Amino acid sequence: MDSILVQGGGPLNGQIPIAGAKNACLTLMPATLLSEEPLTLTNAPRLSDIKTMTELLRSLGSEVATMQDGKTLAMSCHGEINTRAEYDIVRKMRASNLVLGPLLAREGVAEVSLPGGCAIGARPMDIHTDGLTLMGADIELRDGYLHAKAQGGRLKGKGAVIGFPFASVGATENIMMAATLAKGTTVINNAAREPEIVDLADCLRKMGAQIDGDGTSTITIQGVDRLGGATHPVVTDRIELGTYMLAPAFCGGEVECLGGRMDLLTSFCEKLDEAGIDVTETDKGLKVKRRTDEIKAINITTEPFPGFPTDLQAQMMAVLCTANGTSVLEEKIFENRFMHAPELVRMGANIDVAGGTATVTGVNKLKGAPVMATDLRASISLILAGLAAEGETKVSRVYHLDRGYEKVVRKLQAVGAQIERISE
Ligand code: EPZ
């Protein structure tokens, strides 16, 4: 199993290219199930999660080819397809549940294994299934699978409002895709507003879908009889972007994140400003550096977009471990997303966790130590903490990292980090 060794060291300087978004690509790929025509995605990230989605789509009968540049996915799904998403694939990656809506819309039936819980929370699918039920689907949980059937063979937009109790990203994506081929108009209220949802809507519109309001809390989808093909560039990964924007905050120096956009991370950039970190837009992306040698303590509450992203909470906590003062972080999206805290404490941090609140009292310096990654964002927060710590940090179980960060060692080495991957 691989580990990553990080030697704490000096400032980081240079440029880091930001890839296409994992969380956009994982919802764009199932859109191929909605059409008989080819769908091509450019700027796709090279990640193990994308490989898992490829495996899933192929198991359903889609053709998925990665082109020579490694960043273009050519997909097509014509003729008879399999409507069962097997547990053996779904258990590897929760986002597999994003085939439920497209399969139901295309075939009127679907059997999708329930993903089960994960390290950061129970993560049920009730909002997905309640919405699809309102669109005329009969859904039953049997033998660990959701068995779904559209009454009369086709989903119906009810013209009524499907009101979400919580602005779920996945449920918005599943219902939006399902509604593109439904009979009539579907309205989602309290929809999620994440940039990945706007990216999906843009792609679906290129395929011929009629969608309005994406990016707001109310999305209206006028169903059509069929969708065509399209070529679509995957939007920049705002979570990878935010992660690397924090690198110079940890260690000093100045880093330019190529392809970075401020509008993808407004609330995050406001918090960086509060902490004493400057972010400037350049013609290539975003340039980041500390105003002084000191980071100020700040308070964070994670929220759905445009609020502070939960996927940057772990990385921000690591920075605040050496801030001047006491910071309070509230995790409002997932019930168990502080697993990185005890690992940071092993590096000398002073963190007190009580339920969904973590209180971080800044210390002068972290110390390198062997630590263990527990999930994707926790793993990168430990690597970043290691960059600013005294001595060597060894992060194990880095397979978590491969799910969401491409070429992390090379990207950080390029700006002067002392980091390497070792196989044991
Ligand atoms: C997406 O997960 C992202 N994953 C997550 O990123 C991200 O943390 C999350 O949105 C929030 O921004 C992908 O896009 C593949 P939700 P998703 O449905 O869609 C509860 C990463 O690190 N809920 O918005 O699963 C749920 O339990 C990952 O890249 C229900 O109760 O998130 C959670 O507490 C981690 N019932 C909250 O809502 C439902 O039916 C948010 O979930 C659906 C969700």
Side-chain angles (χ1 to χ4, degrees), residues 22-23 26 94-95 98 120 122-128 166-171 173 194 310-311 333-335 337 376-377:
K22 166 181 84 77
N23 290 346
L26 288 177
R94 299 188 50 76
L98 293 170
I120 62 177
R123 304 180 75 176
M125 285 185 65
D126 54 320
I127 305 176
H128 303 238
F166 180 86
S168 155
V169 172
E173 293 163 343
E194 272 68 3
T310 173
D311 296 345
I333 309 289
F334 292 105
E335 61 272 28
R337 203 168 203 182
L376 167 59
R377 308 303 172 183

Side-chain angles (χ1 to χ4, degrees), residues 16 38 58 118 120 131 147 149 176 238 242 263 316 321 342 378 385:
I16 298 182
R58 285 183 179 150
C118 88
I120 62 177
H147 294 259
K149 198 169 179 353
M176 191 161 76
R238 65 196 167 98
D263 64 316
M316 200 66 187
C321 288

Side-chain angles (χ1 to χ4, degrees), residues 59 83 254 269 281 289 348 404:
S59 77
T83 55
E254 185 172 67
C269 292
E281 287 180 289
K289 71 175 190 316

Side-chain angles (χ1 to χ4, degrees), residues 313-385:
Q313 176 259 99
Q315 300 92 315
M316 200 66 187
M317 179 189 279
V319 167
L320 296 172
C321 288
T322 54
N324 181 5
T326 299
S327 308
V328 176
L329 292 87
E330 282 193 279
E331 175 53 59
K332 293 268 187 194
I333 309 289
F334 292 105
E335 61 272 28
N336 186 31
R337 203 168 203 182
F338 286 138
M339 307 260 273
H340 40 284
E343 299 300 313
L344 290 167
V345 167
R346 287 176 48 73
M347 297 176 73
N350 179 348
I351 307 172
D352 177 54
V353 173
T357 304
T359 305
V360 182
T361 305
V363 297
N364 279 343
K365 191 94 181 144
L366 295 178
K367 300 223 171 7
V371 289
M372 186 133 61
T374 47
D375 61 76
L376 167 59
R377 308 303 172 183
S379 55
I380 194 73
S381 79
L382 299 174
I383 287 175
L384 292 177

